[in-house]
Structure formats: structure tokens, C-alpha cells
Amino acid sequence: MKFWRIFMFAAAAFNLLIGVGGLLDPAATVEGRMTGLLVACFGVVYALVATDIARYRPMLWAGVIGKFGAVALLGPEVAAGAYPAFVGPILVGDAIFATAFLWLLMKPPAWARMNASDGDVL
């Protein structure tokens, strides 16, 4: 349980750092700042998930879709040089977090199954 809690707070920090950075970038367009705001909001969601993973883990579906979607949409653009090179490592981070979220959703760890309040296996 401790690993996943730390992992979720790391995901929150990742999104908050990138999102707030984009939001506060004076050179960013309105669309860029809006993207930063939404990325930061996902960071808030991940922090909430970290407080009670068994309860809030279904919210990770939004992260799986958003992060894999970002990789699918921006990856080819980054590879073609249409975006700055620093976006590539961010997309790698997104892919790592999305894969871990998906694993957690599809095969929850034993502590999540044992802590199901209604007796059902998660």
C-alpha cells in the first residue's frame, strides 16, 4: 500500500509541476495555459487518489485515457520536430504513469482486495 500511495503522490507532483509551469508560462497561448490548467487539475485528482486508493482508484481511468491519449496525439508530432524536444521526456513519463495506472486498475494489489469494505474482491 505504501508504494502505491507514494507513487500516486509522485504522479500528482509530476502533473502539478508540468501543469503549473505551462499555466504560468508568459509565452504560452491561451490554449497552452488551458492545457496547463487541465494537467494541473489531473495532479489534484492523483493526490486525492493517493489519500484512499481503494476508494478512488476508478478515477484513474481518466488518467489512463488522458495520458495514453497525449502520447498518441503528441508523440508523432514530437518525433517530427513540431514540438520542443523537452516534450518527449514528459510523454515518456505520461506513458509510464498510464501503464502503472492501468495495471492498478486491471490487477489491484492484495491490500486493495483485502480492504474491500463490502466484502467483494476489488
Side-chain angles (χ1 to χ4, degrees), residues 12-25 28-44 46 67 74 90:
F14 179 82
N15 272 65
L16 287 168
L17 179 69
I18 292 166
V20 171
L23 182 62
L24 299 178
D25 181 0
T29 63
V30 171
E31 292 84 1
R33 290 193 306 271
M34 187 67 197
T35 299
L37 175 63
L38 294 173
V39 169
C41 287
F42 270 95
V44 173
Y46 303 145
K67 288 186 175 298
L74 292 178
I90 293 171

Side-chain angles (χ1 to χ4, degrees), residues 60-102:
L60 293 177
W61 282 112
V64 168
I65 295 165
K67 288 186 175 298
F68 278 140
V71 171
L73 292 171
L74 292 178
E77 298 292 320
V78 171
Y83 281 82
F86 71 83
V87 177
I90 293 171
L91 293 179
V92 170
D94 279 343
I96 291 167
F97 282 118
T99 302
F101 294 169
L102 187 59

